[in-house]
Amino acid sequence: MNRFLKYGIILVAIGLLGYNSIYIKKLSDVKATAGEKFDAVSYVAKLWREKLPARLQTAIDINTLKTAIASDADGAFEKYTNALAIGNYRYALVKGTARVDKIGADDVAITTNGNTPLKASLVTEFVYGNALRDASALVELKEFPNTSDLNSISEELNKTVRQKVVPAFKPALKTGDQIEFTAAIELNKEHIHFDDLELIPVSIKIVP
């Protein structure tokens, strides 16, 4: 092969590789993208207003969930629970009716109605963790590039519970009241128990 033709082919190949390996963007565009900060407050407000109400309608009765897990744990966890992270902790939206046993400073002790009543507590003060975010199944892991944004969603959801949900029902609550509840719970697949569950309240209604 002609030496000049050989060198020409090599130069063309190098040029093509370089063209497909380099992407040029405006510096202003790069700075704008890098400077964007996730607005968790607005995101959660919209999610709470537009998506969560419909999601609450799919909550499973807590007694049904307990029975399903006792019958087929793997199948029930797959069908009724959700989690963003891999591991033993799973989260679910549950509903039911219950009797108010005690109103504490940090929680409300309840006993659920049903053939096998459960002791549980509605958390009203120290609302932390990812239970509501993951139980809702409304947040996709792929939508967020870092854990900071995901954590901020949980923080805003928990803040909404403390600032809006709890004040809407707790002041009017009395021992012995019957309530309807929808709440988020956390379950450990390796240590399943329904006694003394902590429920993150999302919707509480006092039944006349």
Side-chain angles (χ1 to χ4, degrees):
M1 180 182 294
N2 183 289
R3 185 177 60 180
F4 295 106
L5 177 59
K6 178 179 178 181
Y7 290 153
I9 292 173
I10 293 174
L11 288 173
V12 170
I14 293 174
L16 288 173
L17 286 172
Y19 177 79
N20 289 304
S21 301
I22 298 173
Y23 298 89
I24 299 175
K25 291 184 177 180
K26 291 182 178 179
L27 181 59
S28 58
D29 291 343
V30 174
K31 287 183 176 178
T33 301
E36 289 179 357
K37 184 178 180 181
F38 175 59
D39 184 353
V41 175
S42 297
Y43 179 89
V44 168
K46 184 176 181 181
L47 182 146
W48 192 281
R49 182 177 62 251
E50 298 179 2
K51 295 183 178 180
L52 190 59
R55 186 70 182 90
L56 295 181
Q57 300 302 314
T58 69
I60 182 173
D61 182 272
I62 192 168
N63 294 305
T64 302
L65 178 61
K66 181 182 178 184
T67 301
I69 290 177
S71 175
D72 175 14
D74 289 341
F77 277 115
E78 179 66 25
K79 184 176 181 179
Y80 298 116
T81 70
N82 183 62
L84 293 189
I86 297 173
N88 290 328
Y89 288 101
R90 303 288 296 184
Y91 306 90
L93 283 177
V94 296
K95 64 181 179 181
T97 60
R99 181 192 69 238
V100 174
D101 295 331
K102 182 181 179 182
I103 303 168
D106 302 330
D107 59 15
V108 175
I110 63 174
T111 299
T112 65
N113 298 324
N115 295 330
T116 55
L118 306 171
K119 294 287 186 181
S121 63
L122 299 167
V123 180
T124 57
E125 182 63 27
F126 300 106
V127 185
Y128 297 114
N130 301 318
L132 181 51
R133 182 198 68 189
D134 286 17
S136 74
L138 293 174
V139 179
E140 295 286 344
L141 187 62
K142 61 184 179 183
E143 294 180 20
F144 299 92
N146 60 66
T147 56
S148 176
D149 292 346
L150 289 168
N151 291 337
S152 65
I153 293 173
S154 289
E155 292 170 4
E156 287 301 322
L157 284 170
N158 295 337
K159 186 186 298 183
T160 302
V161 170
R162 288 195 302 272
Q163 296 182 346
K164 294 185 177 180
V165 177
V166 173
F169 77 87
K170 193 173 180 182
L173 214 55
K174 301 185 298 292
T175 300
D177 278 347
Q178 288 287 325
I179 62 170
E180 294 177 354
F181 67 85
T182 305
I185 62 171
E186 174 187 283
L187 293 171
N188 186 329
K189 292 194 297 184
E190 295 299 316
H191 304 284
I192 303 170
H193 67 82
F194 279 83
D195 293 328
D196 299 321
L197 267 181
E198 286 194 345
L199 283 70
I200 308 298
V202 185
S203 174
I204 302 295
K205 179 182 178 182
I206 301 174
V207 181

